[in-house]
Amino acid sequence: MHIRTRFAPSPTGFMHVGNLRTALYEYLTAKHEGGTFVLRIEDTDQERYVEGATDVIYKTLELAGITHDEGPDIGGEYGPYVQSERKGLYKPYAEQLVKEGKAYYCFCSKERLDELRKNAPEGSVIGYDRHCRNLSPEEVEEKLKAGIPYVIRQKMPLDGESTYHDLVYGDITIKNDELDDQILIKADGFPTYNFANVIDDHTMGITHVVRGSEYLSSTPKYNALYEAFGWDIPTYIHLPLINGKSVDEEGNVTISKLSKRHGSTGFFDLVNEGFLPKAIINYIALLGWCPAGEFENREIFTMDELIKAFDINDISKSPSVFDYDKLEWMNGEYIKAMGSDEFLENAKPSYDKLGINEDNYELLEEILKPRITRFTEIEGKLSFLKEFGDFDLSLFEHKKSKSTVETSIDALESVIPVLEEASWQRDELNDKIKALAEAKQVKNSVIMWPVRIAAAGVAVTPGGCSEVLILLGKEESLRRIKIGLNRLKGN
């Protein structure tokens, strides 16, 4: 069998990580077997349509490295790939079911349906009461001629059970009396999501349907349509929920469905926070899927490696937890593995904002790579280059470095003439400061700590004393060190 999967998002504004994982698993399911991955835009719900949302879908898939073989932008033999452009396709199928006695016209008004719900027993879930299911042909014809608005509903089985098999959850059984006579064509002529979904999947030759576990209970409705038309039912792969973790002030952990209260849940939100698309995809791939065989216990994958390793039989039915700390760690691993050109490409926007000279790019790569997990951290870590003020003088006191206010005054007074004569190369600065410490018979840190504090004005910097001096340059470093010395002396 040639596997064909599809990603069929609705253009509603942004790409949730759950939707992105679905797209990824559909892509990997197809590509692992040399199959075809299709992009289809499901825009039949016009009330939820957001202008520009389709472009967000394209940009997300492109950045994520998920390449479709067929779709609205590139075409294919099963197009069009936008549901609103396929509108004329759906009603004839619904009319076919009406003629075969498997569906019917429903003329119930919105007011009548609202009254049904209003009068339902408290706590009960009321579906349609099938009021129009057994109208006579004469009654139907009369209402159609009168122009009464209608929907087309499917005749669902009234008793017994429906069972289907899912590759993740096994056999699922639903009682048929729980299935409503679902609407196929709405009063505005547009198909419902369920109906269009089935028609499109069949006519596009989709063999494997990958979607969230929230569709487990409604899948019998889809299958009822396949059976009504006599079509083959696709292979189902329902994915477990993605949960989020909350920790209250007392340290109690609560696990619940991932939402914005847990943090960013949109792909571009995560990207804007500094997470790399490749790292996001790598992390999402592991939310519900556990590599086996030669890839067991491995966590870092390229897309090609994911395609090779992915096996739908290794998808877990247990909900996964989106761990932002784990994503941050993984992002850091991707940064550490970058080549110089890629690192600079990502870091340069921050460098430009800070006015950093390109002579320092190599040094910055060396000191930042091991210290950042996101490129958005760069401006904060290097803020001392632009910002310098009256910092707390207690920073000069550091027990481990054996630095006090008194030792700092002596260190700065001694180091200034040494630095004024230095050629401002990192090795030379290191050597001169160490030589000074040796001459004064103190630890290197007794000199280096106050020099770094005076120059940077902050307790923590990427790199040590010499690196800070190189980044600031000779003139600015000496200016700041002299200011620090004067402040220590009370001037």
Side-chain angles (χ1 to χ4, degrees), residues 401-413:
S401 298
K402 298 189 181 301
S403 177
T404 65
V405 169
E406 290 73 21
T407 63
S408 295
I409 292 173
D410 180 66
L412 296 184
E413 285 181 331

Side-chain angles (χ1 to χ4, degrees), residues 105 107 132-145:
Y105 297 105
F107 301 95
C132 295
R133 179 166 171 145
N134 296 310
L135 292 178
S136 68
E138 292 75 22
E139 290 175 294
V140 170
E141 187 64 28
E142 182 181 338
K143 292 180 183 295
L144 288 175
K145 285 184 178 178

Side-chain angles (χ1 to χ4, degrees), residues 237-385:
I237 305 166
H238 286 88
L239 306 179
L241 283 175
I242 299 177
N243 287 328
K245 179 174 64 175
S246 301
V247 182
D248 63 22
E249 295 177 355
E250 298 177 358
N252 298 314
V253 177
T254 302
I255 304 295
S256 58
K257 186 176 181 181
L258 183 66
S259 65
K260 289 186 176 180
R261 70 177 177 274
H262 298 113
S264 295
T265 61
F267 175 74
F268 276 107
D269 291 334
L270 291 171
V271 170
N272 290 336
E273 288 181 10
F275 292 106
L276 300 164
K278 288 186 289 188
I280 297 171
I281 285 297
N282 190 157
Y283 180 66
I284 288 176
L286 301 175
L287 291 176
W289 168 70
C290 186
E294 64 178 294
F295 299 101
E296 190 174 4
N297 299 322
R298 184 169 168 183
E299 294 186 291
I300 305 298
F301 290 86
T302 65
M303 184 64 84
D304 286 342
E305 289 168 339
L306 283 175
I307 291 171
K308 182 180 178 182
F310 190 78
D311 188 334
I312 53 181
N313 295 306
D314 296 325
I315 297 174
S316 170
K317 62 182 177 183
S318 300
S320 54
V321 177
F322 194 100
D323 186 334
Y324 292 89
D325 292 336
K326 185 64 177 288
L327 174 59
E328 188 126 11
W329 167 82
M330 186 171 285
N331 208 63
E333 293 301 298
Y334 269 82
I335 290 174
K336 290 184 182 75
M338 281 183 176
S340 295
D341 290 345
E342 186 180 5
F343 185 88
L344 178 59
E345 181 183 351
N346 283 276
K348 195 170 185 305
S350 297
Y351 292 170
D352 291 344
K353 287 182 182 179
L354 294 166
I356 290 173
N357 189 291
E358 65 181 30
D359 292 342
N360 289 326
Y361 288 172
E362 186 176 342
L363 171 62
L364 283 170
E365 179 183 353
E366 176 191 327
I367 64 177
L368 288 174
K369 254 187 184 180
R371 292 176 172 86
I372 62 171
T373 55
R374 289 185 271 168
F375 283 97
T376 48
E377 296 173 333
I378 290 178
E379 288 179 50
K381 289 187 178 297
L382 298 179
S383 60
F384 69 89
L385 296 177

Side-chain angles (χ1 to χ4, degrees), residues 92-129:
Y93 280 105
E95 298 280 8
Q96 175 187 331
L97 294 182
V98 172
K99 290 176 183 176
E100 294 173 357
K102 299 171 182 176
Y104 59 96
Y105 297 105
C106 174
F107 301 95
C108 292
S109 64
K110 181 179 181 299
E111 291 72 24
R112 181 180 183 279
L113 297 176
D114 288 343
E115 195 67 22
L116 273 178
R117 298 186 189 96
K118 181 180 176 182
N119 295 328
E122 188 174 350
S124 67
V125 179
I126 183 71
Y128 178 57
D129 63 356

Side-chain angles (χ1 to χ4, degrees), residues 87-97 185 195 229:
K87 183 181 175 183
L89 175 70
Y90 306 111
K91 193 169 183 180
Y93 280 105
E95 298 280 8
Q96 175 187 331
L97 294 182
I185 300 294
F195 187 55
F229 287 112

Side-chain angles (χ1 to χ4, degrees), residues 157-221:
L158 302 177
D159 51 29
E161 296 177 334
S162 293
T163 299
Y164 70 95
H165 183 74
D166 178 77
L167 287 187
V168 177
Y169 289 86
D171 289 339
I172 305 292
T173 299
I174 302 290
K175 292 183 178 179
N176 288 333
D177 60 11
E178 297 177 5
L179 303 177
D180 199 9
D181 278 5
Q182 62 180 333
I183 295 175
L184 307 181
I185 300 294
K186 296 179 287 187
D188 62 4
F190 273 86
T192 57
Y193 174 85
N194 287 355
F195 187 55
N197 196 275
V198 168
I199 300 301
D200 288 340
D201 281 349
H202 174 74
T203 55
M204 291 183 176
I206 302 303
T207 62
H208 289 62
V209 172
V210 184
R211 59 190 177 207
S213 59
E214 63 269 26
Y215 289 97
L216 281 168
S217 61
S218 61
T219 295
K221 293 183 177 182

